[in-house]
Amino acid sequence: MKLLQKTLLALAAGSMMTVGAQAAVNYGMTAQPYIGAKIGQYDLDSADDATSYGVYGGAKFTPNFGIEAEYMTTSDADFSSNREYSADVYGLYGTYDYTFPGSDMYAKGRLGVSKNKVDVDRSGSRSDTGIAGGLGLGYNLASNAAVELAYDWYPTVDNVADKGDLDASGITLGANFKF
């Protein structure tokens, strides 16, 4: 990725953080931090799906807007007949939650920047940084605990082994605890 693209992505991520912080100041709220863990499936084009697992954390600055960071890794999965791959994802996202009226269920969207690194046996690793995001549904089990089911998409990784540019996405089930 070129320097200008990386700079623009960094500015976009910084802008999302600033909007959330300003909203907290305007509404007189303090941030509500949370941490969580997730497990799911990582789907890399032209390869078998891998089991994914990771941790995430963030803060809500208003009832709707927040920021979230994640680290996710995968188990080894078949890449081709005689090679395996694994992946690591590091991300920073702005989030928006919409709670359905009269319910403990909510919809969640996130958009931000992530690094998607794919390591293929005997071919080395390739990574790319770019726009990533996701959509999901959550359920508040209590005022300080929730579960979330999400579909996420990650940056395309260029020139992976002999299969060219590969898209990646995933489905995860997570649980988080709010402080």
Side-chain angles (χ1 to χ4, degrees):
M1 183 173 277
K2 296 183 180 175
L3 180 60
L4 178 61
Q5 290 173 321
K6 288 181 182 179
T7 303
L8 290 173
L9 289 173
L11 286 171
S15 296
M16 285 188 289
M17 288 185 275
T18 305
V19 167
Q22 186 62 41
V25 169
N26 289 344
Y27 291 101
M29 297 180 67
T30 59
Q32 182 182 26
Y34 60 91
I35 59 170
K38 61 171 121 180
I39 188 166
Q41 179 176 306
Y42 178 87
D43 179 22
L44 183 67
D45 283 352
S46 302
D48 286 354
D49 294 343
T51 300
S52 63
Y53 46 94
V55 294
Y56 64 104
K60 288 179 72 172
F61 297 107
T62 72
N64 300 103
F65 292 100
I67 187 168
E68 186 171 285
E70 80 170 334
Y71 168 72
M72 189 185 65
T73 190
T74 69
S75 63
D76 289 341
D78 288 337
F79 183 74
S80 62
S81 60
N82 59 354
R83 293 186 287 180
E84 291 184 333
Y85 80 94
S86 62
D88 292 304
V89 176
Y90 310 85
L92 180 63
Y93 310 95
T95 63
Y96 178 80
D97 291 4
Y98 172 78
T99 302
F100 296 105
S103 171
D104 288 328
M105 184 172 270
Y106 60 93
K108 180 177 183 179
R110 64 185 200 162
L111 183 64
V113 179
S114 77
K115 178 180 181 179
N116 186 13
K117 178 182 172 190
V118 176
D119 186 17
V120 179
D121 290 344
R122 297 183 305 276
S123 294
S125 66
R126 300 289 297 173
S127 66
D128 209 344
T129 302
I131 302 295
L135 297 171
L137 288 174
Y139 185 79
N140 289 312
L141 300 170
S143 63
N144 64 344
V147 292
E148 297 177 346
L149 178 65
Y151 170 78
D152 296 307
W153 64 91
Y154 306 111
T156 298
V157 181
D158 298 336
N159 303 319
V160 178
D162 57 353
K163 295 195 178 186
D165 301 348
L166 301 181
D167 292 329
S169 61
I171 295 175
T172 58
L173 177 62
N176 64 59
F177 177 79
K178 301 169 188 146
F179 299 100

